[in-house]
mmCIF file of all heavy atoms in Angstrom:
data_model
loop_
_atom_site.group_PDB
_atom_site.id
_atom_site.type_symbol
_atom_site.label_atom_id
_atom_site.label_comp_id
_atom_site.label_asym_id
_atom_site.label_seq_id
_atom_site.Cartn_x
_atom_site.Cartn_y
_atom_site.Cartn_z
ATOM 1 N N GLY A 885 5.377 12.378 3.927
ATOM 2 C CA GLY A 885 5.718 13.717 4.394
ATOM 3 C C GLY A 885 4.962 14.735 3.582
ATOM 4 O O GLY A 885 4.531 14.460 2.452
ATOM 5 N N VAL A 889 5.247 25.228 1.429
ATOM 6 C CA VAL A 889 6.572 25.723 1.042
ATOM 7 C C VAL A 889 6.434 27.025 0.260
ATOM 8 O O VAL A 889 5.638 27.114 -0.675
ATOM 9 C CB VAL A 889 7.310 24.688 0.169
ATOM 10 C CG1 VAL A 889 8.757 25.117 -0.043
ATOM 11 C CG2 VAL A 889 7.259 23.298 0.790
ATOM 12 N N ARG A 902 20.146 39.326 -2.293
ATOM 13 C CA ARG A 902 19.189 39.070 -1.205
ATOM 14 C C ARG A 902 19.655 39.710 0.090
ATOM 15 O O ARG A 902 18.867 40.283 0.840
ATOM 16 C CB ARG A 902 18.991 37.564 -0.994
ATOM 17 C CG ARG A 902 18.238 36.845 -2.091
ATOM 18 C CD ARG A 902 17.780 35.468 -1.620
ATOM 19 N NE ARG A 902 18.829 34.718 -0.971
ATOM 20 C CZ ARG A 902 19.640 33.840 -1.589
ATOM 21 N NH1 ARG A 902 19.514 33.633 -2.885
ATOM 22 N NH2 ARG A 902 20.560 33.181 -0.914
ATOM 23 N N LEU A 946 -6.039 19.680 -12.764
ATOM 24 C CA LEU A 946 -5.199 18.905 -13.667
ATOM 25 C C LEU A 946 -3.975 18.369 -12.946
ATOM 26 O O LEU A 946 -3.431 19.006 -12.047
ATOM 27 C CB LEU A 946 -4.770 19.753 -14.865
ATOM 28 C CG LEU A 946 -5.902 20.171 -15.815
ATOM 29 C CD1 LEU A 946 -5.328 20.927 -17.008
ATOM 30 C CD2 LEU A 946 -6.720 18.975 -16.284
ATOM 31 N N HIS A 967 14.621 34.269 -15.220
ATOM 32 C CA HIS A 967 14.715 33.899 -16.632
ATOM 33 C C HIS A 967 15.923 32.997 -16.830
ATOM 34 O O HIS A 967 16.816 32.905 -15.973
ATOM 35 C CB HIS A 967 14.858 35.149 -17.506
ATOM 36 C CG HIS A 967 16.098 35.949 -17.216
ATOM 37 N ND1 HIS A 967 17.330 35.671 -17.775
ATOM 38 C CD2 HIS A 967 16.299 37.007 -16.391
ATOM 39 C CE1 HIS A 967 18.228 36.518 -17.334
ATOM 40 N NE2 HIS A 967 17.630 37.346 -16.477
ATOM 41 N N ALA A 985 -8.295 8.219 -12.513
ATOM 42 C CA ALA A 985 -9.182 7.056 -12.408
ATOM 43 C C ALA A 985 -9.957 7.073 -11.092
ATOM 44 O O ALA A 985 -11.176 6.836 -11.069
ATOM 45 C CB ALA A 985 -8.371 5.773 -12.533
ATOM 46 N N TYR A 993 -13.294 15.877 -10.163
ATOM 47 C CA TYR A 993 -12.876 16.670 -11.310
ATOM 48 C C TYR A 993 -11.361 16.689 -11.509
ATOM 49 O O TYR A 993 -10.821 17.633 -12.056
ATOM 50 C CB TYR A 993 -13.394 18.106 -11.164
ATOM 51 C CG TYR A 993 -14.896 18.181 -11.170
ATOM 52 C CD1 TYR A 993 -15.613 18.152 -9.975
ATOM 53 C CD2 TYR A 993 -15.611 18.243 -12.364
ATOM 54 C CE1 TYR A 993 -17.003 18.205 -9.977
ATOM 55 C CE2 TYR A 993 -16.993 18.299 -12.382
ATOM 56 C CZ TYR A 993 -17.690 18.270 -11.179
ATOM 57 O OH TYR A 993 -19.066 18.312 -11.180
ATOM 58 N N ASN A 999 1.183 15.600 -21.657
ATOM 59 C CA ASN A 999 1.837 16.256 -22.780
ATOM 60 C C ASN A 999 3.125 16.921 -22.299
ATOM 61 O O ASN A 999 3.074 17.852 -21.486
ATOM 62 C CB ASN A 999 0.903 17.313 -23.380
ATOM 63 C CG ASN A 999 1.420 17.882 -24.687
ATOM 64 O OD1 ASN A 999 2.627 17.985 -24.888
ATOM 65 N ND2 ASN A 999 0.518 18.254 -25.574
ATOM 66 N N LEU A 1002 3.565 20.750 -22.051
ATOM 67 C CA LEU A 1002 2.803 21.543 -21.094
ATOM 68 C C LEU A 1002 3.714 22.555 -20.406
ATOM 69 O O LEU A 1002 4.795 22.206 -19.936
ATOM 70 C CB LEU A 1002 2.180 20.618 -20.048
ATOM 71 C CG LEU A 1002 1.283 21.257 -18.987
ATOM 72 C CD1 LEU A 1002 0.010 21.796 -19.602
ATOM 73 C CD2 LEU A 1002 0.952 20.220 -17.909
ATOM 74 N N LEU A 1017 15.818 18.566 -6.752
ATOM 75 C CA LEU A 1017 15.122 17.331 -7.119
ATOM 76 C C LEU A 1017 15.646 16.758 -8.428
ATOM 77 O O LEU A 1017 15.568 15.552 -8.652
ATOM 78 C CB LEU A 1017 13.616 17.592 -7.205
ATOM 79 C CG LEU A 1017 12.948 18.008 -5.892
ATOM 80 C CD1 LEU A 1017 11.478 18.332 -6.105
ATOM 81 C CD2 LEU A 1017 13.111 16.926 -4.822
ATOM 82 N N GLU A 1018 16.195 17.627 -9.294
ATOM 83 C CA GLU A 1018 16.798 17.108 -10.527
ATOM 84 C C GLU A 1018 18.031 16.267 -10.205
ATOM 85 O O GLU A 1018 18.263 15.228 -10.831
ATOM 86 C CB GLU A 1018 17.194 18.270 -11.436
ATOM 87 C CG GLU A 1018 16.021 19.032 -12.009
ATOM 88 C CD GLU A 1018 16.465 20.356 -12.609
ATOM 89 O OE1 GLU A 1018 17.087 21.168 -11.888
ATOM 90 O OE2 GLU A 1018 16.173 20.575 -13.794
ATOM 91 N N VAL A 1024 8.702 14.133 -10.343
ATOM 92 C CA VAL A 1024 7.873 15.219 -9.825
ATOM 93 C C VAL A 1024 6.553 15.246 -10.586
ATOM 94 O O VAL A 1024 6.536 15.181 -11.814
ATOM 95 C CB VAL A 1024 8.584 16.576 -9.978
ATOM 96 C CG1 VAL A 1024 7.674 17.718 -9.522
ATOM 97 C CG2 VAL A 1024 9.889 16.604 -9.186
ATOM 98 N N PHE A 1038 -11.515 21.617 -3.448
ATOM 99 C CA PHE A 1038 -10.081 21.331 -3.325
ATOM 100 C C PHE A 1038 -9.834 20.205 -2.335
ATOM 101 O O PHE A 1038 -8.961 19.364 -2.542
ATOM 102 C CB PHE A 1038 -9.331 22.593 -2.903
ATOM 103 C CG PHE A 1038 -9.300 23.661 -3.966
ATOM 104 C CD1 PHE A 1038 -9.886 24.888 -3.756
ATOM 105 C CD2 PHE A 1038 -8.691 23.428 -5.190
ATOM 106 C CE1 PHE A 1038 -9.864 25.872 -4.722
ATOM 107 C CE2 PHE A 1038 -8.665 24.399 -6.175
ATOM 108 C CZ PHE A 1038 -9.263 25.628 -5.938
ATOM 109 N N LEU A 1064 0.755 31.919 2.526
ATOM 110 C CA LEU A 1064 -0.491 32.010 3.298
ATOM 111 C C LEU A 1064 -1.199 33.258 2.776
ATOM 112 O O LEU A 1064 -1.630 33.282 1.641
ATOM 113 C CB LEU A 1064 -0.188 32.049 4.793
ATOM 114 C CG LEU A 1064 0.628 30.867 5.351
ATOM 115 C CD1 LEU A 1064 0.771 30.972 6.866
ATOM 116 C CD2 LEU A 1064 0.019 29.528 4.977
ATOM 117 N N PRO A 1078 13.846 47.859 7.757
ATOM 118 C CA PRO A 1078 14.952 47.811 6.784
ATOM 119 C C PRO A 1078 15.238 46.414 6.234
ATOM 120 O O PRO A 1078 15.766 46.283 5.130
ATOM 121 C CB PRO A 1078 16.145 48.354 7.573
ATOM 122 C CG PRO A 1078 15.772 48.211 9.017
ATOM 123 C CD PRO A 1078 14.283 48.376 9.062
ATOM 124 N N GLU A 1093 -1.520 38.669 11.915
ATOM 125 C CA GLU A 1093 -2.190 38.023 13.051
ATOM 126 C C GLU A 1093 -2.869 36.725 12.627
ATOM 127 O O GLU A 1093 -2.762 35.699 13.305
ATOM 128 C CB GLU A 1093 -3.214 38.980 13.653
ATOM 129 C CG GLU A 1093 -3.958 38.414 14.847
ATOM 130 C CD GLU A 1093 -4.998 39.375 15.411
ATOM 131 O OE1 GLU A 1093 -5.193 40.459 14.835
ATOM 132 O OE2 GLU A 1093 -5.625 39.025 16.429
ATOM 133 N N SER A 1094 -3.565 36.777 11.492
ATOM 134 C CA SER A 1094 -4.269 35.585 11.018
ATOM 135 C C SER A 1094 -3.296 34.494 10.593
ATOM 136 O O SER A 1094 -3.483 33.316 10.921
ATOM 137 C CB SER A 1094 -5.195 35.949 9.857
ATOM 138 O OG SER A 1094 -5.856 34.806 9.372
ATOM 139 N N LEU A 1111 -10.017 24.465 8.755
ATOM 140 C CA LEU A 1111 -11.107 24.310 7.787
ATOM 141 C C LEU A 1111 -12.395 24.956 8.305
ATOM 142 O O LEU A 1111 -13.147 25.559 7.527
ATOM 143 C CB LEU A 1111 -11.333 22.833 7.489
ATOM 144 C CG LEU A 1111 -10.168 22.103 6.802
ATOM 145 C CD1 LEU A 1111 -10.507 20.632 6.605
ATOM 146 C CD2 LEU A 1111 -9.807 22.752 5.479
ATOM 147 N N CYS A 1142 -7.459 15.092 9.779
ATOM 148 C CA CYS A 1142 -5.996 15.106 9.793
ATOM 149 C C CYS A 1142 -5.488 15.757 11.075
ATOM 150 O O CYS A 1142 -5.936 16.844 11.452
ATOM 151 C CB CYS A 1142 -5.473 15.869 8.579
ATOM 152 S SG CYS A 1142 -3.674 16.021 8.527
ATOM 153 N N ASN A 1154 8.032 38.098 5.058
ATOM 154 C CA ASN A 1154 7.346 38.900 4.039
ATOM 155 C C ASN A 1154 7.951 38.638 2.663
ATOM 156 O O ASN A 1154 9.140 38.414 2.519
ATOM 157 C CB ASN A 1154 7.509 40.374 4.386
ATOM 158 C CG ASN A 1154 7.307 41.272 3.174
ATOM 159 O OD1 ASN A 1154 6.191 41.436 2.715
ATOM 160 N ND2 ASN A 1154 8.383 41.830 2.650
ATOM 161 N N PRO A 1167 3.135 12.778 8.686
ATOM 162 C CA PRO A 1167 1.869 12.020 8.744
ATOM 163 C C PRO A 1167 1.864 11.009 9.879
ATOM 164 O O PRO A 1167 2.916 10.505 10.266
ATOM 165 C CB PRO A 1167 1.835 11.301 7.380
ATOM 166 C CG PRO A 1167 2.761 12.081 6.500
ATOM 167 C CD PRO A 1167 3.853 12.588 7.407
#
Side-chain angles (χ1 to χ4, degrees):
V889 189
R902 290 195 312 267
L946 294 184
H967 62 85
Y993 296 93
N999 189 328
L1002 183 67
L1017 297 176
E1018 292 166 304
V1024 176
F1038 291 118
L1064 303 184
E1093 181 181 4
S1094 179
L1111 296 178
C1142 177
N1154 159 72

